PDB file of all heavy atoms in Angstrom:
ATOM      1  N   ASP A 123     -15.966  15.264  -1.690  1.00  0.00           N
ATOM      2  CA  ASP A 123     -15.985  14.370  -2.893  1.00  0.00           C
ATOM      3  C   ASP A 123     -15.409  12.863  -2.609  1.00  0.00           C
ATOM      4  O   ASP A 123     -14.244  12.846  -2.396  1.00  0.00           O
ATOM      5  CB  ASP A 123     -15.204  15.002  -4.081  1.00  0.00           C
ATOM      6  CG  ASP A 123     -15.401  14.174  -5.392  1.00  0.00           C
ATOM      7  OD1 ASP A 123     -16.022  13.159  -5.399  1.00  0.00           O
ATOM      8  OD2 ASP A 123     -14.779  14.674  -6.372  1.00  0.00           O
ATOM      9  N   ASN A 124     -16.316  11.851  -2.518  1.00  0.00           N
ATOM     10  CA  ASN A 124     -15.795  10.622  -2.253  1.00  0.00           C
ATOM     11  C   ASN A 124     -15.520   9.675  -3.586  1.00  0.00           C
ATOM     12  O   ASN A 124     -15.448   8.489  -3.330  1.00  0.00           O
ATOM     13  CB  ASN A 124     -16.849   9.869  -1.304  1.00  0.00           C
ATOM     14  CG  ASN A 124     -16.842  10.543   0.058  1.00  0.00           C
ATOM     15  OD1 ASN A 124     -15.856  10.514   0.728  1.00  0.00           O
ATOM     16  ND2 ASN A 124     -17.994  11.098   0.505  1.00  0.00           N
ATOM     17  N   THR A 125     -15.610  10.275  -4.729  1.00  0.00           N
ATOM     18  CA  THR A 125     -15.523   9.529  -5.940  1.00  0.00           C
ATOM     19  C   THR A 125     -14.280   8.610  -5.964  1.00  0.00           C
ATOM     20  O   THR A 125     -14.406   7.393  -6.262  1.00  0.00           O
ATOM     21  CB  THR A 125     -15.462  10.438  -7.242  1.00  0.00           C
ATOM     22  OG1 THR A 125     -16.718  11.313  -7.074  1.00  0.00           O
ATOM     23  CG2 THR A 125     -15.466   9.670  -8.405  1.00  0.00           C
ATOM     24  N   TYR A 126     -13.127   9.212  -5.650  1.00  0.00           N
ATOM     25  CA  TYR A 126     -11.848   8.486  -5.674  1.00  0.00           C
ATOM     26  C   TYR A 126     -11.916   7.267  -4.676  1.00  0.00           C
ATOM     27  O   TYR A 126     -11.493   6.151  -4.965  1.00  0.00           O
ATOM     28  CB  TYR A 126     -10.654   9.284  -5.257  1.00  0.00           C
ATOM     29  CG  TYR A 126     -10.243  10.212  -6.370  1.00  0.00           C
ATOM     30  CD1 TYR A 126     -10.876  10.307  -7.587  1.00  0.00           C
ATOM     31  CD2 TYR A 126      -9.101  11.091  -6.238  1.00  0.00           C
ATOM     32  CE1 TYR A 126     -10.546  11.116  -8.563  1.00  0.00           C
ATOM     33  CE2 TYR A 126      -8.592  11.839  -7.271  1.00  0.00           C
ATOM     34  CZ  TYR A 126      -9.343  11.802  -8.430  1.00  0.00           C
ATOM     35  OH  TYR A 126      -8.987  12.808  -9.407  1.00  0.00           O
ATOM     36  N   LEU A 127     -12.412   7.504  -3.439  1.00  0.00           N
ATOM     37  CA  LEU A 127     -12.561   6.452  -2.434  1.00  0.00           C
ATOM     38  C   LEU A 127     -13.496   5.362  -2.824  1.00  0.00           C
ATOM     39  O   LEU A 127     -13.270   4.217  -2.575  1.00  0.00           O
ATOM     40  CB  LEU A 127     -12.880   7.072  -1.086  1.00  0.00           C
ATOM     41  CG  LEU A 127     -11.809   7.942  -0.372  1.00  0.00           C
ATOM     42  CD1 LEU A 127     -12.328   8.586   0.850  1.00  0.00           C
ATOM     43  CD2 LEU A 127     -10.648   6.996  -0.195  1.00  0.00           C
ATOM     44  N   PHE A 128     -14.566   5.752  -3.466  1.00  0.00           N
ATOM     45  CA  PHE A 128     -15.626   4.727  -3.910  1.00  0.00           C
ATOM     46  C   PHE A 128     -15.066   3.819  -5.005  1.00  0.00           C
ATOM     47  O   PHE A 128     -15.258   2.634  -5.009  1.00  0.00           O
ATOM     48  CB  PHE A 128     -16.884   5.405  -4.273  1.00  0.00           C
ATOM     49  CG  PHE A 128     -17.703   5.943  -3.168  1.00  0.00           C
ATOM     50  CD1 PHE A 128     -18.636   6.983  -3.444  1.00  0.00           C
ATOM     51  CD2 PHE A 128     -17.577   5.557  -1.884  1.00  0.00           C
ATOM     52  CE1 PHE A 128     -19.377   7.511  -2.451  1.00  0.00           C
ATOM     53  CE2 PHE A 128     -18.309   6.034  -0.833  1.00  0.00           C
ATOM     54  CZ  PHE A 128     -19.281   7.011  -1.076  1.00  0.00           C
ATOM     55  N   THR A 129     -14.228   4.470  -5.882  1.00  0.00           N
ATOM     56  CA  THR A 129     -13.603   3.872  -6.906  1.00  0.00           C
ATOM     57  C   THR A 129     -12.523   2.781  -6.371  1.00  0.00           C
ATOM     58  O   THR A 129     -12.447   1.701  -6.781  1.00  0.00           O
ATOM     59  CB  THR A 129     -12.900   4.821  -7.970  1.00  0.00           C
ATOM     60  OG1 THR A 129     -13.898   5.667  -8.469  1.00  0.00           O
ATOM     61  CG2 THR A 129     -12.240   4.032  -9.100  1.00  0.00           C
ATOM     62  N   ASN A 130     -11.766   3.325  -5.416  1.00  0.00           N
ATOM     63  CA  ASN A 130     -10.646   2.475  -4.736  1.00  0.00           C
ATOM     64  C   ASN A 130     -11.472   1.333  -4.037  1.00  0.00           C
ATOM     65  O   ASN A 130     -10.817   0.214  -4.026  1.00  0.00           O
ATOM     66  CB  ASN A 130      -9.987   3.338  -3.776  1.00  0.00           C
ATOM     67  CG  ASN A 130      -8.691   2.724  -3.346  1.00  0.00           C
ATOM     68  OD1 ASN A 130      -7.874   2.377  -4.284  1.00  0.00           O
ATOM     69  ND2 ASN A 130      -8.464   2.554  -2.088  1.00  0.00           N
ATOM     70  N   ALA A 131     -12.513   1.674  -3.440  1.00  0.00           N
ATOM     71  CA  ALA A 131     -13.292   0.570  -2.649  1.00  0.00           C
ATOM     72  C   ALA A 131     -13.778  -0.518  -3.564  1.00  0.00           C
ATOM     73  O   ALA A 131     -13.561  -1.782  -3.320  1.00  0.00           O
ATOM     74  CB  ALA A 131     -14.564   1.078  -1.947  1.00  0.00           C
ATOM     75  N   THR A 132     -14.146  -0.177  -4.807  1.00  0.00           N
ATOM     76  CA  THR A 132     -14.521  -1.166  -5.726  1.00  0.00           C
ATOM     77  C   THR A 132     -13.431  -2.051  -6.212  1.00  0.00           C
ATOM     78  O   THR A 132     -13.555  -3.327  -6.283  1.00  0.00           O
ATOM     79  CB  THR A 132     -15.124  -0.550  -7.003  1.00  0.00           C
ATOM     80  OG1 THR A 132     -16.230   0.262  -6.606  1.00  0.00           O
ATOM     81  CG2 THR A 132     -15.736  -1.572  -8.021  1.00  0.00           C
ATOM     82  N   LEU A 133     -12.279  -1.484  -6.445  1.00  0.00           N
ATOM     83  CA  LEU A 133     -11.121  -2.182  -6.781  1.00  0.00           C
ATOM     84  C   LEU A 133     -10.549  -3.068  -5.630  1.00  0.00           C
ATOM     85  O   LEU A 133     -10.242  -4.264  -5.896  1.00  0.00           O
ATOM     86  CB  LEU A 133      -9.807  -1.242  -7.229  1.00  0.00           C
ATOM     87  CG  LEU A 133     -10.179  -0.307  -8.455  1.00  0.00           C
ATOM     88  CD1 LEU A 133      -9.049   0.613  -8.631  1.00  0.00           C
ATOM     89  CD2 LEU A 133     -10.309  -1.284  -9.682  1.00  0.00           C
ATOM     90  N   ASP A 134     -10.675  -2.564  -4.448  1.00  0.00           N
ATOM     91  CA  ASP A 134     -10.155  -3.361  -3.230  1.00  0.00           C
ATOM     92  C   ASP A 134     -11.102  -4.555  -2.957  1.00  0.00           C
ATOM     93  O   ASP A 134     -10.560  -5.528  -2.339  1.00  0.00           O
ATOM     94  CB  ASP A 134     -10.048  -2.442  -2.011  1.00  0.00           C
ATOM     95  CG  ASP A 134      -8.907  -1.466  -2.171  1.00  0.00           C
ATOM     96  OD1 ASP A 134      -8.023  -1.611  -3.072  1.00  0.00           O
ATOM     97  OD2 ASP A 134      -8.790  -0.514  -1.384  1.00  0.00           O
ATOM     98  N   LEU A 135     -12.348  -4.380  -3.220  1.00  0.00           N
ATOM     99  CA  LEU A 135     -13.284  -5.422  -3.078  1.00  0.00           C
ATOM    100  C   LEU A 135     -12.836  -6.646  -3.820  1.00  0.00           C
ATOM    101  O   LEU A 135     -12.798  -7.775  -3.229  1.00  0.00           O
ATOM    102  CB  LEU A 135     -14.733  -5.081  -3.461  1.00  0.00           C
ATOM    103  CG  LEU A 135     -15.813  -6.240  -3.399  1.00  0.00           C
ATOM    104  CD1 LEU A 135     -15.964  -6.695  -1.895  1.00  0.00           C
ATOM    105  CD2 LEU A 135     -17.117  -5.662  -4.054  1.00  0.00           C
ATOM    106  N   VAL A 136     -12.488  -6.481  -5.084  1.00  0.00           N
ATOM    107  CA  VAL A 136     -12.030  -7.621  -5.963  1.00  0.00           C
ATOM    108  C   VAL A 136     -10.696  -8.175  -5.516  1.00  0.00           C
ATOM    109  O   VAL A 136     -10.415  -9.343  -5.304  1.00  0.00           O
ATOM    110  CB  VAL A 136     -11.937  -7.277  -7.322  1.00  0.00           C
ATOM    111  CG1 VAL A 136     -11.481  -8.352  -8.298  1.00  0.00           C
ATOM    112  CG2 VAL A 136     -13.358  -6.755  -7.905  1.00  0.00           C
ATOM    113  N   THR A 137      -9.810  -7.250  -5.185  1.00  0.00           N
ATOM    114  CA  THR A 137      -8.391  -7.668  -4.767  1.00  0.00           C
ATOM    115  C   THR A 137      -8.472  -8.392  -3.460  1.00  0.00           C
ATOM    116  O   THR A 137      -7.741  -9.338  -3.298  1.00  0.00           O
ATOM    117  CB  THR A 137      -7.520  -6.355  -4.564  1.00  0.00           C
ATOM    118  OG1 THR A 137      -7.563  -5.627  -5.821  1.00  0.00           O
ATOM    119  CG2 THR A 137      -6.093  -6.747  -4.301  1.00  0.00           C
ATOM    120  N   SER A 138      -9.265  -7.922  -2.454  1.00  0.00           N
ATOM    121  CA  SER A 138      -9.314  -8.582  -1.176  1.00  0.00           C
ATOM    122  C   SER A 138      -9.844  -9.983  -1.287  1.00  0.00           C
ATOM    123  O   SER A 138      -9.499 -10.939  -0.618  1.00  0.00           O
ATOM    124  CB  SER A 138     -10.197  -7.825  -0.193  1.00  0.00           C
ATOM    125  OG  SER A 138     -11.474  -7.624  -0.693  1.00  0.00           O
ATOM    126  N   MET A 139     -10.776 -10.247  -2.202  1.00  0.00           N
ATOM    127  CA  MET A 139     -11.346 -11.530  -2.466  1.00  0.00           C
ATOM    128  C   MET A 139     -10.288 -12.456  -2.936  1.00  0.00           C
ATOM    129  O   MET A 139     -10.203 -13.630  -2.438  1.00  0.00           O
ATOM    130  CB  MET A 139     -12.511 -11.518  -3.423  1.00  0.00           C
ATOM    131  CG  MET A 139     -13.695 -10.838  -2.970  1.00  0.00           C
ATOM    132  SD  MET A 139     -14.994 -10.583  -4.224  1.00  0.00           S
ATOM    133  CE  MET A 139     -15.332 -12.285  -4.720  1.00  0.00           C
ATOM    134  N   VAL A 140      -9.449 -12.013  -3.881  1.00  0.00           N
ATOM    135  CA  VAL A 140      -8.330 -12.776  -4.443  1.00  0.00           C
ATOM    136  C   VAL A 140      -7.260 -13.116  -3.347  1.00  0.00           C
ATOM    137  O   VAL A 140      -6.818 -14.125  -3.223  1.00  0.00           O
ATOM    138  CB  VAL A 140      -7.652 -12.168  -5.588  1.00  0.00           C
ATOM    139  CG1 VAL A 140      -6.500 -12.971  -6.135  1.00  0.00           C
ATOM    140  CG2 VAL A 140      -8.695 -12.034  -6.685  1.00  0.00           C
ATOM    141  N   PHE A 141      -6.899 -12.047  -2.607  1.00  0.00           N
ATOM    142  CA  PHE A 141      -5.985 -12.358  -1.526  1.00  0.00           C
ATOM    143  C   PHE A 141      -6.471 -13.213  -0.474  1.00  0.00           C
ATOM    144  O   PHE A 141      -5.666 -14.088  -0.040  1.00  0.00           O
ATOM    145  CB  PHE A 141      -5.626 -10.819  -0.844  1.00  0.00           C
ATOM    146  CG  PHE A 141      -4.488 -10.103  -1.421  1.00  0.00           C
ATOM    147  CD1 PHE A 141      -4.660  -8.853  -1.928  1.00  0.00           C
ATOM    148  CD2 PHE A 141      -3.189 -10.761  -1.331  1.00  0.00           C
ATOM    149  CE1 PHE A 141      -3.530  -8.152  -2.506  1.00  0.00           C
ATOM    150  CE2 PHE A 141      -2.142 -10.012  -1.821  1.00  0.00           C
ATOM    151  CZ  PHE A 141      -2.262  -8.738  -2.400  1.00  0.00           C
ATOM    152  N   ALA A 142      -7.599 -13.054  -0.011  1.00  0.00           N
ATOM    153  CA  ALA A 142      -8.176 -14.040   0.967  1.00  0.00           C
ATOM    154  C   ALA A 142      -8.358 -15.393   0.442  1.00  0.00           C
ATOM    155  O   ALA A 142      -8.124 -16.377   1.218  1.00  0.00           O
ATOM    156  CB  ALA A 142      -9.528 -13.513   1.387  1.00  0.00           C
ATOM    157  N   SER A 143      -8.657 -15.581  -0.814  1.00  0.00           N
ATOM    158  CA  SER A 143      -8.722 -16.956  -1.303  1.00  0.00           C
ATOM    159  C   SER A 143      -7.350 -17.607  -1.375  1.00  0.00           C
ATOM    160  O   SER A 143      -7.272 -18.820  -1.481  1.00  0.00           O
ATOM    161  CB  SER A 143      -9.351 -16.930  -2.752  1.00  0.00           C
ATOM    162  OG  SER A 143      -8.595 -16.194  -3.720  1.00  0.00           O
ATOM    163  N   THR A 144      -6.377 -16.745  -1.418  1.00  0.00           N
ATOM    164  CA  THR A 144      -4.972 -17.358  -1.473  1.00  0.00           C
ATOM    165  C   THR A 144      -4.370 -17.401  -0.019  1.00  0.00           C
ATOM    166  O   THR A 144      -3.747 -18.474   0.280  1.00  0.00           O
ATOM    167  CB  THR A 144      -4.031 -16.332  -2.281  1.00  0.00           C
ATOM    168  OG1 THR A 144      -4.712 -16.131  -3.506  1.00  0.00           O
ATOM    169  CG2 THR A 144      -2.628 -16.867  -2.377  1.00  0.00           C
ATOM    170  N   TYR A 145      -4.619 -16.363   0.937  1.00  0.00           N
ATOM    171  CA  TYR A 145      -3.934 -16.443   2.144  1.00  0.00           C
ATOM    172  C   TYR A 145      -4.827 -16.723   3.327  1.00  0.00           C
ATOM    173  O   TYR A 145      -4.356 -16.916   4.433  1.00  0.00           O
ATOM    174  CB  TYR A 145      -3.194 -15.091   2.322  1.00  0.00           C
ATOM    175  CG  TYR A 145      -2.138 -14.803   1.448  1.00  0.00           C
ATOM    176  CD1 TYR A 145      -2.284 -13.921   0.342  1.00  0.00           C
ATOM    177  CD2 TYR A 145      -0.818 -15.337   1.603  1.00  0.00           C
ATOM    178  CE1 TYR A 145      -1.222 -13.704  -0.557  1.00  0.00           C
ATOM    179  CE2 TYR A 145       0.178 -15.024   0.628  1.00  0.00           C
ATOM    180  CZ  TYR A 145       0.025 -14.209  -0.363  1.00  0.00           C
ATOM    181  OH  TYR A 145       0.993 -14.033  -1.324  1.00  0.00           O
ATOM    182  N   GLY A 146      -6.127 -16.588   3.120  1.00  0.00           N
ATOM    183  CA  GLY A 146      -7.073 -16.947   4.241  1.00  0.00           C
ATOM    184  C   GLY A 146      -7.605 -15.648   4.815  1.00  0.00           C
ATOM    185  O   GLY A 146      -7.417 -14.549   4.602  1.00  0.00           O
ATOM    186  N   ILE A 147      -8.488 -15.970   5.940  1.00  0.00           N
ATOM    187  CA  ILE A 147      -9.275 -14.928   6.601  1.00  0.00           C
ATOM    188  C   ILE A 147      -8.370 -13.969   7.355  1.00  0.00           C
ATOM    189  O   ILE A 147      -8.650 -12.793   7.641  1.00  0.00           O
ATOM    190  CB  ILE A 147     -10.243 -15.617   7.600  1.00  0.00           C
ATOM    191  CG1 ILE A 147     -11.279 -14.590   8.211  1.00  0.00           C
ATOM    192  CG2 ILE A 147      -9.380 -16.326   8.710  1.00  0.00           C
ATOM    193  CD1 ILE A 147     -12.186 -13.962   7.198  1.00  0.00           C
ATOM    194  N   GLY A 148      -7.153 -14.277   7.637  1.00  0.00           N
ATOM    195  CA  GLY A 148      -6.234 -13.324   8.245  1.00  0.00           C
ATOM    196  C   GLY A 148      -5.992 -12.102   7.617  1.00  0.00           C
ATOM    197  O   GLY A 148      -5.588 -11.108   8.206  1.00  0.00           O
ATOM    198  N   MET A 149      -6.270 -12.097   6.257  1.00  0.00           N
ATOM    199  CA  MET A 149      -6.135 -10.892   5.508  1.00  0.00           C
ATOM    200  C   MET A 149      -7.069  -9.770   5.815  1.00  0.00           C
ATOM    201  O   MET A 149      -6.863  -8.557   5.496  1.00  0.00           O
ATOM    202  CB  MET A 149      -6.296 -11.286   3.990  1.00  0.00           C
ATOM    203  CG  MET A 149      -5.249 -12.145   3.363  1.00  0.00           C
ATOM    204  SD  MET A 149      -3.616 -11.642   3.597  1.00  0.00           S
ATOM    205  CE  MET A 149      -3.724 -10.067   2.485  1.00  0.00           C
ATOM    206  N   ILE A 150      -8.025 -10.087   6.746  1.00  0.00           N
ATOM    207  CA  ILE A 150      -8.978  -9.073   7.148  1.00  0.00           C
ATOM    208  C   ILE A 150      -8.296  -8.005   8.033  1.00  0.00           C
ATOM    209  O   ILE A 150      -8.797  -6.846   8.236  1.00  0.00           O
ATOM    210  CB  ILE A 150     -10.108  -9.598   7.917  1.00  0.00           C
ATOM    211  CG1 ILE A 150     -11.307  -8.769   7.923  1.00  0.00           C
ATOM    212  CG2 ILE A 150      -9.705 -10.084   9.357  1.00  0.00           C
ATOM    213  CD1 ILE A 150     -12.613  -9.406   8.397  1.00  0.00           C
ATOM    214  N   LEU A 151      -7.099  -8.414   8.548  1.00  0.00           N
ATOM    215  CA  LEU A 151      -6.273  -7.399   9.325  1.00  0.00           C
ATOM    216  C   LEU A 151      -5.833  -6.186   8.501  1.00  0.00           C
ATOM    217  O   LEU A 151      -5.496  -5.170   9.108  1.00  0.00           O
ATOM    218  CB  LEU A 151      -5.035  -8.104   9.951  1.00  0.00           C
ATOM    219  CG  LEU A 151      -5.322  -9.288  10.962  1.00  0.00           C
ATOM    220  CD1 LEU A 151      -3.943  -9.940  11.303  1.00  0.00           C
ATOM    221  CD2 LEU A 151      -5.944  -8.603  12.209  1.00  0.00           C
ATOM    222  N   ALA A 152      -5.811  -6.360   7.194  1.00  0.00           N
ATOM    223  CA  ALA A 152      -5.445  -5.164   6.439  1.00  0.00           C
ATOM    224  C   ALA A 152      -6.519  -4.099   6.450  1.00  0.00           C
ATOM    225  O   ALA A 152      -6.236  -2.918   6.157  1.00  0.00           O
ATOM    226  CB  ALA A 152      -5.275  -5.674   4.933  1.00  0.00           C
ATOM    227  N   ALA A 153      -7.788  -4.450   6.742  1.00  0.00           N
ATOM    228  CA  ALA A 153      -8.907  -3.519   6.723  1.00  0.00           C
ATOM    229  C   ALA A 153      -8.660  -2.387   7.849  1.00  0.00           C
ATOM    230  O   ALA A 153      -8.762  -1.155   7.498  1.00  0.00           O
ATOM    231  CB  ALA A 153     -10.150  -4.155   6.970  1.00  0.00           C
ATOM    232  N   PRO A 154      -8.317  -2.701   9.024  1.00  0.00           N
ATOM    233  CA  PRO A 154      -8.250  -1.595   9.977  1.00  0.00           C
ATOM    234  C   PRO A 154      -6.924  -0.806   9.721  1.00  0.00           C
ATOM    235  O   PRO A 154      -6.897   0.388  10.073  1.00  0.00           O
ATOM    236  CB  PRO A 154      -8.039  -2.288  11.364  1.00  0.00           C
ATOM    237  CG  PRO A 154      -7.701  -3.773  10.945  1.00  0.00           C
ATOM    238  CD  PRO A 154      -8.374  -4.029   9.682  1.00  0.00           C
TER     239      PRO A 154
END
Side-chain angles (χ1 to χ4, degrees):
D123 184 357
N124 290 299
T125 303
Y126 284 4
L127 287 176
F128 289 157
T129 302
N130 199 54
T132 304
L133 296 172
D134 288 347
L135 174 64
V136 178
T137 306
S138 60
M139 290 172 63
V140 178
F141 265 119
S143 65
T144 305
Y145 296 101
I147 189 62
M149 294 300 297
I150 203 169
L151 293 173

